[in-house]
Structure formats: C-alpha cells, structure tokens
Amino acid sequence: MKKQLGIVGMGVMGRSLARNWAKSGHSLSLYNRRVSGSEEGVAQALTQQFVELRQAAAYEELSDFVASLEQPRKIVLMVTAGPAVDELIAELRPLLQSGDLIIDAGNAHYLDTERRMSMLNTHEVNMLGLGVSGGEQGALEGASLMAGGTPSAYALAEPFLSGIAAKTPAGRLALKHIGPGGSGHFVKMVHNAIEYAEMQAIAEAFEFMHSLMGLDYQTIAEVFEAWNDSSQQSYLLEISSRILRTKDDQGYVIERIADRAAYNQTGAATLVEGALKGEPLSMVASALFARFISNKKAQRQELAVYAEPTSAIVSISVDELKQAYAFTRIINHYQHFEMIASFSERLGWKVNLSDLCSVWSSGCIIRSTLLQQLMPKVDGQLSALFDKATREELFAQKPSVKKVVSAAIQSDVPLSTMQTALNYYQQITQEQSSAALVQAQRDYFGAHGVYFKQSAETLTFYPWPK
Ligand code: 6PG
C-alpha cells in the first residue's frame, strides 16, 4: 500500500514533524540520506525508536522512497536551508511526475524558494514554501505554519498541514496560506527577526536587573513570571524565567554558559532585504549586532578596562523597566509589520496581517499576548504605530524608557534594543529632521539635487559656492 506523505531529512525537526503526522493518522515514508560512518539507517532506527512511527516505511534510496508514495506525491523537505535543498531537489526532480508536490519546510530564503518554484514549474511539479515555527516542541505537538505558493499547491498540502498545526487561543488552526510565491518563507524570515529582538530585549532586561539593580537570578525569574502574568505574556519570557531558575549540583546553569550567541541566516536576511528597500529595521539590526559583538570575546576582554564599573545600584523600579520592555516590543513588532506590509504591497501578495497575528498567536516562538492584541489593530491597513491607543501607550511609556536607557548609558551597560527603540521613536515622531543638511551635502558633492520646501516635487540642482 502506497504512503500518503513522504518526509526527507530526519534531523530533530524532520523526525518531530514525522511523529506528529503519524499521530494525526497519516501514513508516511521517511527518507534520510546514507553517509557511511555518520548517518546510517537513521530513518529505520526511528521507526523502531518511536511507537507512532512503527507503521512508517524507511528509506535510504531516494528512488525507492519516491516510488513508495501515492500520486500525486507530497514530499516534505526538512533539511538545512541553502545548497542542500538545491541538491536534493536536483536529485528528486527526475523521479517526480507532473502534479507532484514538494513542500520545503526549512528556513529557506524566500528568493531561493521563488527560484526553485519557477524551475519546478517548468516540469509541472508544484512547490510550497512552508514557514514552520515552534522548534522541536512545536513540530511535535503543534506548530505555527505559514504556507506560500499557488492555491492548487496549497490545496494538495492543506489536509496534511492541518494535522500538525497548533490551535490558537481563539480555537483556529495556526496555519495559513499566506500568499503566492515565497510569501510563506518571507513571513517566517521576518518572524525570526522579531524573535531576535524579542530575545535580546529580555536579555537586556535581565542584565539591567542583575547588573544595575543588584537582583539575583531567582528574583529576576520571579519578575519575569510576574510580567508573564500580565499583558507582557510571551513564550520567550516564560522560558527565560525557567532558564534563570534552572540549577544543578554546580549551581545556576546560566552562570556557566559562555556569553556568545550564535545565529543562522534569517535575521541577517531580513535586515538586508529590508535595507535594500528602504525599511528602517533598526530593531533586528541592534539584536543581530549584539549577537555579532558577543562573538568578539577576545576584543571585549582586551578592551573591558575602558568600561565604567557597573556596581552602582540605580533607583529605577521594576515597573519602569517593564514599561521600557513593553515599549521596545511594540516598536519591534511595528517595524516588522511595516516591512511585511510594504513587501506584500509591492509584490502583490495581499498578506493579511491580522491572519498573520492569528497564525503567530500559537505554536511559534514569538507567540504572545501582544500579537493577540495587535490582531484587530492590523485588520485592513497598517496605521502609523498601529492605532491611537498604542500611540498613547508609547507616549506614556517614553519617560520610563528614557530613565532606563539613561541609567544604562551612565554605567556603560549597552541596552541595544531598548536604546534603538527609543531612537526610532524619536526619529519617527520628529516632524523636522536634520536630513536637509544630508541632502544638501549630496547635492554639493554629487549634484544629486534637493527639494525646496515650497516646491517639494521639483528636484533642483543648487549652484553651491565651491
Ligand atoms: C522557530 C525558530 C527556528 C530556529 C531559528 C532560530 O521559529 O522555530 O525561529 O526557525 O530556531 O533558526 O534562528 P537563529 O538560529 O538564527 O537564532
């Protein structure tokens, strides 16, 4: 009997998705490449290890795997994004037939997805670029799924995707056909950029409380728990308090972890794509650069003598810090929603931001109460800084942000995302900026022209004295 769904790549995410699909009643063929000495019999071993995978068929030969699937074939790729996906598709393509479907569930760059889609399209093979969020637990118990591709490709995949999607607090599935082409992978990429700044903002709140307020891990974990019981609830905050509480026979685990944060490509890709289109994504830039600088450990050690000692205890309340944190999160979400709205409009994707909030309100890493609150605010058109209530909220929070950021500046504690959020807010609320001088400089040395205020549509080349 032929199997309904094929899964390629039995790493942590691939195997977890396979287990979830098997539990939701789908018959599966599993494929993992054979690499002598390191990857041998991987899929076969999983069918023995996990009871839900007992009925799955395991393969190391791609042609046998493809032949085991009912037609049109549906094949999920869960392999490391990048050249490995191209290599796999090149191997798979001659084995496929018109109408078959490839679902790339990795973190592919959306432009790669579009290139692969058009190549496969010439062979009448369907492709869906599927953003999957939720890590191992999400893959296993219910993930947030963002699909991009044609309606017919989505229709083929939908019965399978609905089996592994998380349920939102409103009882919907955390699954959406986002739009055509690479739109699914695009929004997943931007999701990760939001994730970067969310993580960094929590780390900064932690550092502020630890270094400048003198709070111990236990107390900070309690503060995070209290925040998590409020409108600031989020999955990342919840796991952060759990991490801070974790102790073993050598003490707090966090204390033994090196202060170097790694990264894959999605945060940088969001920044680059946005920058090329004039999107001021300073929040992901600040979080990303904080990770980059964290890896320059030797330089940091050498130059540490030039930092102010951070022993002073500042007179800032936990509530003021919470307001700075809340402010930072709103700016972070706003910048990235603006990015999605602008790409969607330019590329004709028609991404529904409210649906996106729904898909992100469960299963994924950035799930939070804030996303549920933003859902009605982004219905229809995205307004400047969301809506009047949010604009007033930010305005009310601003004094606390200034206090927190100033205190950190005095003690040389870099609050990358909090300071960046304040800076962005100051820029976006500044009616008259210094850009006139920048444009005049451009005109002076490069004859790029200036717009005079009286005739804002006419580019004028001013005869500057030289
Ligand atoms: C998710 C995560 C997931 C992965 C990212 C993290 O939504 O489940 O975002 O896709 O953990 O790769 O990105 P970095 O490895 O760059 O931190």
Side-chain angles (χ1 to χ4, degrees), residues 3 126 144 146 154 176 259-260 329 370 404 438 457:
K3 303 291 186 186
N126 296 297
S144 169
M146 299 143 251
Y154 182 72
K176 204 76 204 167
D259 58 345
R260 294 198 312 257
R329 295 186 64 220
L370 176 60
V404 167
V438 174
E457 300 309 315

Side-chain angles (χ1 to χ4, degrees), residues 248-388:
D248 59 18
D249 51 7
Q250 294 175 64
Y252 285 105
V253 177
I254 190 72
E255 229 157 37
R256 307 204 301 276
I257 298 178
D259 58 345
R260 294 198 312 257
Y263 45 87
N264 287 297
Q265 298 298 313
T266 47
T270 308
L271 179 61
V272 169
E273 289 300 309
L276 290 173
K277 295 287 179 248
E279 289 300 325
L281 301 181
S282 53
M283 296 304 293
V284 65
S286 65
L288 192 60
F289 294 174
R291 290 198 196 185
F292 293 168
I293 295 170
S294 80
N295 285 290
K296 296 184 183 290
K297 183 70 180 179
Q299 280 187 49
R300 289 195 285 127
Q301 274 169 331
E302 190 184 337
L303 299 173
V305 287
Y306 298 105
E308 300 286 342
T310 55
S311 51
I313 301 294
V314 296
S315 61
I316 283 178
S317 71
V318 161
D319 196 55
E320 285 167 323
L321 181 63
K322 184 184 178 188
Q323 289 192 44
Y325 171 67
F327 178 98
T328 303
R329 295 186 64 220
I330 295 172
I331 301 291
N332 179 34
H333 284 73
Y334 180 69
Q335 285 188 355
H336 293 103
F337 274 86
E338 223 193 355
M339 158 103 169
I340 294 171
S342 105
F343 271 63
S344 170
E345 193 182 330
R346 194 168 48 78
L347 299 168
W349 284 343
K350 296 190 167 61
V351 177
N352 182 321
L353 294 179
S354 188
D355 282 349
L356 197 56
C357 286
S358 168
V359 170
W360 287 349
S361 66
S362 191
C364 74
I365 303 297
I366 62 167
R367 61 186 185 263
S368 74
T369 296
L370 176 60
L371 277 168
Q372 291 173 55
Q373 289 168 344
L374 292 178
M375 210 181 296
K377 299 183 184 194
V378 295
D379 207 5
Q381 216 190 339
L382 180 68
S383 308
L385 292 178
F386 295 121
D387 67 351
K388 190 161 181 287

